[in-house]
Amino acid sequence: MLFGQSVFQSVLDRLKAQDETVEENVPASARVSGLNSGLAFNVMEGVSASSARPDQAYFETIEFAREKTEPLTRPEPEPEPVMPDYLAHIKEDEIAAELDISALDTVQCLSLKRRAFAKKNHPDRVDPRFRANATTRMTTANLLIDQALRRLARKLS
């Protein structure tokens, strides 16, 4: 500290003194420091192009970015979905034949059959128009598999 001033205050005083000496030695000029004389403006008839039409630059550059395309056409409608043949089989004996449950099936085997059947027939995986049949098939298949699991549990105990 110099004469009761903080270090920061003494640095500020020294910088201020340097600026005063530099300003005294520099002649007055109309130039702005940092700008050189190579600056050019596009002036036509006393009006710059950017002030005449400010949006013109946008439209000129967008033409480079835009590809020439044909007008948009409406997409063709999707064809009506066709119900798979297996969804038409909703009788219990048809579903039992499809599951092929036997007395030799284990718990793991029945679980795999349930998963495979659900993967193919789950109502969330079919078109909404066919969900009623898929729900019926899944309900019946789950009932048949649950019955087989109960029979297996009684057999093992």
Side-chain angles (χ1 to χ4, degrees), residues 19-59:
D19 280 346
E20 288 173 358
T21 58
V22 170
E23 287 178 7
E24 291 174 1
N25 298 335
V26 175
S29 147
R31 296 186 83 188
V32 177
S33 67
L35 292 179
N36 59 16
S37 60
L39 199 59
F41 294 95
N42 183 6
V43 179
M44 299 175 73
E45 298 178 15
V47 178
S48 70
S50 61
S51 67
R53 293 215 37 205
D55 60 338
Q56 188 63 34
Y58 173 77
F59 289 117

Side-chain angles (χ1 to χ4, degrees), residues 1-2 5-19:
M1 286 201 253
L2 301 171
Q5 292 180 334
S6 68
V7 176
F8 179 72
Q9 187 62 40
S10 64
V11 170
L12 285 178
D13 289 343
R14 190 182 64 203
L15 290 173
K16 185 176 180 183
Q18 285 178 352
D19 280 346

Side-chain angles (χ1 to χ4, degrees), residues 85-157:
D85 292 335
Y86 62 88
L87 284 179
H89 305 291
I90 57 174
K91 294 182 182 170
E92 188 173 327
D93 58 337
E94 294 171 332
I95 297 169
E98 191 175 336
L99 286 171
D100 192 29
I101 296 174
S102 71
L104 301 175
D105 287 338
T106 63
V107 174
Q108 293 168 340
C109 182
L110 290 170
S111 295
L112 289 174
K113 286 183 180 187
R114 185 190 307 261
R115 284 182 171 210
F117 193 86
K119 185 176 181 181
K120 184 177 179 183
N121 295 280
H122 197 278
D124 291 344
R125 299 189 68 139
V126 298
D127 191 84
R129 291 170 243 187
F130 313 131
R131 283 197 179 144
N133 283 15
T135 302
T136 303
R137 284 177 58 80
M138 280 301 301
T139 304
T140 306
N142 284 330
L143 177 74
L144 292 170
I145 292 171
D146 288 342
Q147 288 173 354
L149 287 170
R150 280 194 293 277
R151 281 192 303 271
L152 185 62
R154 275 183 277 170
K155 182 180 170 183
L156 295 176
S157 56

Side-chain angles (χ1 to χ4, degrees), residues 75-88:
E76 294 180 18
E78 294 182 20
E80 288 288 321
V82 178
M83 184 169 74
D85 292 335
Y86 62 88
L87 284 179

